[in-house]
Amino acid sequence: MKNRFVAWLLCLVMLLSVSVVAAAEVNPNAGLGYYPGTSTPGSIAIECSTMSVMNTVKMTYSTELSAARHMQDCLVKLSPVDNQIVGAAAESWESSADGLTWTFKLRPGMKWVNNNGEVVGDVTAHDFVFAWSELLNPANAAEYYAFAAVFKNAQAYYDYASGVDGAPEVTLDQVGFKAVDDLTLVCELENVLPYFLQYVKFEVMSPIYAPFYNEVGADNYATSPETMLYCGPFYMTDWVLENKITMKKNPAWWDAANVTLDQIEWIKYTDTNAKMNAFQGGEVDLIDITGEQRAMLEAEGFAPSSYIGGYSFYLYTNVEDTARDISNTNLRKAISFALDREQLINTVFKNDSEPSPTFALGISGVNTETFSEAVIAANNGERLYPVNSDEAKAKEYFAKALEELGKTADQIDITFMVSEGTQNELYNQVMQEQLRKVLGIEAKLEVLTITEARARRNAHNYDLFAGGWGPDYNDPMTDLDLWTTTNGNNHTGYSSAAYDELIEKAKVETDMVARELLFVECEKLIAEDMPIIPIYWRHEDYVVSEKMAEGYARLPFQALNMIYTKLAD
């Protein structure tokens, strides 16, 4: 077993090395004098898309997780310089020879502070035990509970606590994490997990100070700056819901001496023109931009930046509610072949985003540079999803769907649930028109706030909803276990015994080639059953003001890392 585990670790090192990206950027526009940025000394303002959930146990959205990255310290984190694992709350760690037991030694002297920056307690191993217990508490309905389900007996405990029929009794003290003392945390895993450190760096695995949590109450925790505590480089001072969050430097943080920023503001924008005007007017220092805006800035001689974060975008489909037309598999296939992915990108985004050949993006392969290449190779060199509309196949599947549903084309009832934002709305409008043109479907659009859309998606109260997913760690599991029956992020209602079995086999398979083949079969099954309709792989263009000189990072697995940003003199 030891040799197998060492082989797994060597493979992981190779995988991680592939994902390393030059980071901690130097501003390409320094000194031009075009867009000097915000006026508050020592402060930057950055765009974010949503900020409705700040409880790390309940987070799912990228910008919320990025905000947490600046306020909390997990056991380890990713370096903004080279994307490699470095110590955070833990100063050292080791694993057993079989890879099933991990021991973490926490930094002495770490502190919890409140929204005024006042120290209220010490960070201990008990805080991680408590947080992970809450992640496994079914009452919290944590979409990322599976991150804590890797510990010994954790899934069994979750099933029992959830009231699953026939689940044997398992108590929390039987789950494989415990605080040996204030600074020593021991973790026992259910199966060998060579990328375990990639798990514990993820923000949903942040610690929580139990005395404070219990004092404010589980439902009230992290609903305002004063109802949460902070152990990271910044703490929150203000939060205008669905508008802006303000963070200030935490002088009690263990590496505060290397943080030069005094303040970060996270500002929500939904209109692409409004945020560009704000950037040009010195109201914000970092924004994502459209392809048209990129061209405009380049024409001015101002250089935008770009990166690929591994985000795959797709349509969630409600396969659970059989009363909905979209639950018909052939209808979903007809929609997939009717969509012109290249036209969508050229019309809406006008950038380097790519039509999805497979679902997973940003993951390294075993014998190929990317996992996606392995999927295509196993599919006789053919992509799983077309670049352009295939009208013949779309109409073929549509005819089958109409026969099975007992309807005519004009009777098909589907609605795109749309989260607010100019690009989101245009994106759905283009898809709506493509379905009208190819299939004669008169799909409806329903525009909601991001918070409303998230609630409806989580309740499986929708037909089609455009969403996306970025990898949390560099392994196909990060994308593909989403569609297992019990995964908290599976908002489609998809349940396949065959799919679940493939994922369970992958969890225990130690031969990397054989394991990858299991994941390849998962990709094929997604294309066959189509609980989601993959659309495009996102290439992200963004721009920063000349106020930000260097040290900021945008990378796979950490979309925004501004902790060590240095400002221009």
Side-chain angles (χ1 to χ4, degrees):
M1 184 65 182
K2 181 178 180 180
N3 289 338
R4 279 189 169 187
F5 180 62
V6 170
W8 270 62
L9 287 179
L10 288 173
C11 286
L12 180 64
V13 169
M14 289 188 288
L15 287 174
L16 287 174
S17 67
V18 171
S19 70
V20 172
V21 181
E25 296 185 41
V26 174
N27 194 330
N29 301 298
L32 289 180
Y34 289 1
Y35 301 112
T38 53
S39 60
T40 303
S43 173
I44 60 170
I46 60 179
E47 170 205 354
C48 70
S49 59
T50 181
M51 57 181 75
S52 58
V53 176
M54 285 294 118
N55 182 346
T56 52
V57 167
K58 299 181 179 182
M59 283 184 172
T60 58
Y61 276 63
S62 173
T63 51
E64 293 170 349
L65 292 162
S66 289
R69 184 172 304 124
H70 293 73
M71 296 187 293
Q72 310 295 351
D73 252 359
C74 293
L75 290 172
V76 298
K77 62 182 178 180
L78 293 176
S79 166
V81 176
D82 58 11
N83 224 23
Q84 296 299 289
I85 293 286
V86 294
E91 62 180 0
S92 65
W93 54 90
E94 61 182 13
S95 72
S96 59
D98 62 5
L100 290 172
T101 302
W102 291 76
T103 302
F104 295 87
K105 292 291 186 180
L106 271 61
R107 297 179 188 276
M110 282 190 64
K111 302 296 182 182
W112 287 107
V113 302
N114 62 18
N115 64 305
N116 294 314
E118 300 163 338
V119 173
V120 298
D122 295 326
V123 177
T124 70
H126 303 282
D127 301 330
F128 286 93
V129 170
F130 178 75
W132 298 348
S133 300
E134 285 300 293
L135 201 56
L136 288 171
N137 182 349
N140 287 319
E143 295 170 69
Y144 267 116
Y145 91 87
F147 265 66
V150 300
F151 298 109
K152 184 178 179 181
N153 295 326
Q155 184 64 55
Y157 165 74
Y158 187 83
D159 290 344
Y160 175 73
S162 300
V164 173
D165 289 342
E169 181 177 357
V170 179
T171 55
L172 188 58
D173 62 347
Q174 294 174 284
V175 176
F177 46 74
K178 62 181 179 181
V180 176
D181 54 48
D182 283 353
L183 298 178
T184 307
L185 180 67
V186 175
C187 303
E188 294 181 85
L189 304 183
E190 189 73 42
N191 300 298
V192 177
L193 196 67
Y195 47 88
F196 178 58
L197 293 176
Q198 293 270 320
Y199 261 55
V200 295
K201 65 82 184 167
F202 194 49
E203 286 72 30
V204 299
M205 302 291 275
S206 299
I208 296 174
Y209 190 51
F212 181 84
Y213 182 93
N214 292 328
E215 179 184 342
V216 301
D219 292 338
N220 194 39
Y221 177 74
T223 57
S224 63
E226 61 270 17
T227 57
M228 61 189 297
L229 296 182
Y230 315 89
C231 65
F234 295 85
Y235 60 90
M236 189 194 307
T237 59
D238 296 284
W239 179 8
V240 181
L241 192 64
E242 301 293 0
N243 187 325
K244 183 169 70 172
I245 281 175
T246 302
M247 300 175 184
K248 292 189 181 297
K249 177 182 174 178
N250 176 12
W253 189 51
W254 61 271
D255 198 30
N258 291 312
V259 176
T260 59
L261 286 178
D262 296 325
Q263 177 177 282
I264 303 177
E265 290 186 331
W266 304 70
I267 305 174
K268 178 180 174 180
Y269 291 95
T270 58
D271 184 271
T272 55
N273 291 325
K275 67 182 176 183
M276 175 55 75
N277 290 337
F279 177 77
Q280 292 174 320
E283 298 172 22
V284 64
D285 295 294
L286 185 154
I287 62 170
D288 288 338
I289 57 175
T290 67
E292 289 177 326
Q293 291 169 342
R294 181 182 70 179
M296 179 196 74
L297 290 166
E298 287 174 338
E300 293 179 352
F302 199 81
S305 300
S306 65
Y307 86 112
I308 301 173
Y311 284 85
S312 178
F313 281 78
Y314 49 85
L315 288 172
Y316 288 96
T317 73
N318 189 338
V319 303
E320 182 179 51
D321 186 350
T322 56
R324 297 175 185 266
D325 290 346
I326 200 62
S327 67
N328 182 277
T329 304
N330 282 315
L331 178 58
R332 299 195 298 273
K333 290 183 177 179
I335 291 171
S336 179
F337 281 106
L339 294 176
D340 190 320
R341 292 161 173 82
E342 186 174 51
Q343 183 190 47
L344 269 168
I345 293 167
N346 291 340
T347 302
V348 179
F349 307 110
K350 300 179 181 179
N351 62 9
D352 298 326
S353 294
E354 307 170 57
S356 301
T358 61
F359 165 51
L361 166 66
I363 303 302
S364 303
V366 176
N367 293 316
T368 54
E369 184 175 352
T370 68
F371 167 66
S372 180
E373 289 173 319
V375 176
I376 293 171
N379 195 45
N380 300 315
E382 298 292 328
R383 54 191 299 132
L384 296 181
Y385 309 100
V387 172
N388 304 112
S389 173
D390 187 329
E391 294 193 18
K393 283 189 176 180
K395 290 176 179 177
E396 177 186 344
Y397 283 114
F398 194 45
K400 293 177 182 178
L402 293 177
E403 182 179 355
E404 291 165 354
L405 292 168
K407 291 188 173 185
T408 57
D410 62 314
Q411 294 174 320
I412 292 297
D413 183 13
I414 57 172
T415 299
F416 287 91
M417 184 174 72
V418 185
S419 59
E420 61 184 338
T422 49
Q423 276 202 327
N424 284 342
E425 292 174 38
L426 177 58
Y427 176 39
N428 282 269
Q429 288 164 2
V430 173
M431 289 190 287
Q432 178 189 41
E433 178 58 31
Q434 289 179 349
L435 297 190
R436 179 185 293 118
K437 176 183 176 183
V438 177
L439 300 176
I441 294 175
E442 294 294 335
K444 297 181 283 292
L445 301 183
E446 183 180 14
V447 181
L448 304 171
T449 67
I450 293 174
T451 301
E452 291 170 329
R454 169 159 48 188
R456 286 268 301 274
R457 180 203 64 183
N458 293 2
H460 299 183
N461 182 15
Y462 70 96
D463 290 328
L464 293 164
F465 177 58
W469 185 262
D472 300 319
Y473 51 93
N474 192 18
D475 186 88
M477 188 70 80
T478 189
D479 289 324
L480 296 175
D481 74 346
L482 287 175
W483 314 120
T484 55
T485 300
T486 59
N487 192 286
N489 283 298
N490 180 359
H491 304 299
T492 67
Y494 178 61
S495 178
S496 164
Y499 193 93
D500 292 349
E501 183 180 3
L502 287 168
I503 293 295
E504 289 305 310
K505 286 182 177 178
K507 287 179 180 178
V508 298
E509 178 58 68
T510 56
D511 181 295
M512 293 296 280
V513 173
R515 183 172 178 272
E516 184 176 69
L517 289 176
L518 293 170
F519 288 131
V520 167
E521 291 305 309
C522 287
E523 281 269 10
K524 289 183 176 181
L525 200 51
I526 291 171
E528 178 61 30
D529 294 345
M530 204 154 280
I532 58 169
I533 302 175
I535 307 294
Y536 72 98
W537 287 350
R538 184 170 72 183
H539 291 225
E540 299 182 63
D541 294 323
Y542 66 98
V543 65
V544 297
S545 74
E546 295 164 62
K547 184 177 186 178
M548 296 169 58
E550 60 181 326
Y552 54 91
R554 303 203 69 179
L555 292 165
F557 320 120
Q558 46 174 344
L560 287 161
N561 189 336
M562 306 291 117
I563 296 169
Y564 296 106
T565 299
K566 290 182 172 56
L567 302 183
D569 295 332

